Amino acid sequence: MVQKLINGYCRLLAVLMVLSLAAMVVMVFGNVVMRYGFNSGITLSEELSRWLFVWMTFLGAVVAINERGHLGTDSLIARLPVVGQKFCLGLSLLLMLFICWLIFKGSLEQTKINWDSTSAVMETSMGYFYASGVVFAVLAAPILLLNLVRLLTGQMSDNELIGIRESDDMPHGNPHP
């Protein structure tokens, strides 16, 4: 049930990222054409593109956490027994939850501090810019908590303990030579 809810909001985040990327492409390309073709431009496009990029990065990080798509290394973990793999995964999930807390706390403070400051071009509260970290932490923490609960209750299979499945030692596409 919870995983379905998480998958649903990750699909929504993916749609928002696609829309953000499309808007960024249109704005930046349009601005280039206007500058070189008509010797003018839209000043709003640069700042808004930068804001969309930051938000898209944080939202993409949430989706990558859900899909276990972040970079990692498995050279040591793969050689450990299952108990060691479980311990390392539990420790890494706890550390990621702590980092989410730090990002939440720091971003919330920055949002509060910059709420009355406005951006140079859009004249919008800079608090919205820093709120991207708050949203990331709030959306990433349930995914990490669910994985921790699954690990602690034994609902996680042994092949899920290592998130990285590729190795430089193995040819791509065929793990067994």
Side-chain angles (χ1 to χ4, degrees):
M1 173 66 178
V2 176
Q3 187 62 51
K4 284 185 180 183
L5 178 66
I6 290 171
N7 289 340
Y9 77 67
C10 283
R11 278 192 299 276
L12 176 64
L13 295 180
V15 169
L16 289 174
M17 289 186 305
V18 167
L19 293 174
S20 296
L21 185 60
M24 288 169 50
V25 167
V26 168
M27 285 188 292
V28 171
F29 180 74
N31 215 18
V32 168
V33 169
M34 289 184 69
R35 282 193 180 155
Y36 288 105
F38 304 104
N39 205 20
S40 68
I42 304 171
T43 54
L44 176 87
S45 71
E46 289 179 33
E47 189 170 288
L48 185 56
S49 293
R50 189 170 38 253
W51 281 42
L52 287 173
F53 181 74
V54 168
W55 273 89
M56 190 175 62
T57 302
F58 276 105
L59 296 180
V62 173
V63 173
I65 287 173
N66 187 48
E67 296 176 355
R68 300 182 79 176
H70 283 283
L71 292 176
T73 181
D74 66 343
S75 57
L76 173 65
I77 305 301
R79 289 174 172 79
L80 294 176
V82 173
V83 173
Q85 292 176 0
K86 286 182 179 183
F87 176 78
C88 288
L89 179 59
L91 181 63
S92 70
L93 288 168
L94 288 172
L95 287 172
M96 286 187 280
L97 282 166
F98 177 65
I99 290 169
C100 275
W101 167 248
L102 292 177
I103 291 172
F104 175 80
K105 186 178 172 188
S107 296
L108 185 61
E109 284 300 313
Q110 285 298 316
T111 301
K112 289 177 186 177
I113 290 169
N114 290 290
W115 192 255
D116 293 328
S117 300
T118 57
S119 62
V121 177
M122 295 188 303
E123 297 182 1
T124 304
S125 172
M126 288 298 293
Y128 294 120
F129 182 81
Y130 293 103
S132 59
V134 175
V135 171
F136 163 77
V138 168
L139 294 179
I143 298 169
L144 298 170
L145 281 171
L146 177 64
N147 286 333
L148 184 61
V149 167
R150 288 182 59 230
L151 176 68
L152 294 175
T153 59
Q155 298 173 18
M156 189 173 283
S157 66
D158 290 349
N159 64 352
E160 290 181 276
L161 297 176
I162 302 175
I164 311 302
R165 292 292 169 216
E166 291 183 11
S167 174
D168 290 337
D169 298 334
M170 291 188 286
H172 294 285
N174 186 8
H176 303 289

